[in-house]
Amino acid sequence: HFFLLSEPVHLILVLQYVFVFVHWGIERNDFPESYEKSMAAKFAEAGASAVIGSHPHVLQGMEEVSGIPVFYSLGNYIFNVSIEKTMAVTCTISPEGLITWRVIPCQAKNGVTEVAEPEKAAEIWKHVQSLSTNAIINDQGEISWIKSEEAGQ
């Protein structure tokens, strides 16, 4: 069942970091639905530090929404089939509060998920990059965000 926040909940006053994991989207669609983008903006407004989605069974892109990263779908990480392209995401928070995001490209065979070999990793990063709005992924999987005024150039 889906719901939309009718009023922002300011959890940030209680917690330093809030990571929202949401089950959304339409199976096998490569791009998020408009309601997902709307919900992501509401989560950001409510004080989320990041939004990480699942459900479509395929990789979807990522973007920064109101200053927070949104990963619409990480794909299938564990499933009883071979998985050509999936990923994990890491978040590192420095003592000063600087947050660094990294995507780790993976594949699965016979129900076992492993980090992808370098050539396949580059292919997965390129695929995710093509689905993403304002994110840049370097050759180590680290993500940087293009500000909206830069993205339009």
Side-chain angles (χ1 to χ4, degrees), residues 11-12 15-23 43-44 46-53 67-71 89-94 97-102:
L11 299 174
I12 204 74
L15 304 171
Q16 191 168 4
Y17 300 100
V18 177
F19 299 95
V20 177
F21 291 85
V22 62
H23 187 258
F43 289 136
S49 304
V51 177
I52 301 172
I68 69 162
V70 177
F71 302 88
V89 63
T90 65
C91 171
T92 305
I93 304 172
S94 74
L98 179 65
I99 299 175
T100 304
W101 293 95
R102 183 172 174 248

Side-chain angles (χ1 to χ4, degrees), residues 34-112:
S34 61
Y35 79 85
E36 293 171 76
K37 290 180 172 274
S38 176
M39 285 178 71
K42 288 191 176 288
F43 289 136
E45 183 183 341
S49 304
V51 177
I52 301 172
S54 66
H55 176 69
H57 300 281
V58 293
L59 288 173
Q60 291 183 342
M62 64 189 95
E63 66 179 334
E64 187 175 70
V65 175
S66 299
I68 69 162
V70 177
F71 302 88
Y72 288 103
S73 176
L74 300 181
N76 277 337
Y77 194 74
I78 298 175
F79 219 61
N80 196 20
V81 296
S82 290
I83 302 166
E84 187 76 18
K85 297 174 186 165
T86 192
M87 68 182 182
V89 63
T90 65
C91 171
T92 305
I93 304 172
S94 74
E96 298 78 28
L98 179 65
I99 299 175
T100 304
W101 293 95
R102 183 172 174 248
V103 291
I104 302 170
C106 300
Q107 292 181 282
K109 292 181 184 149
N110 303 317
V112 177

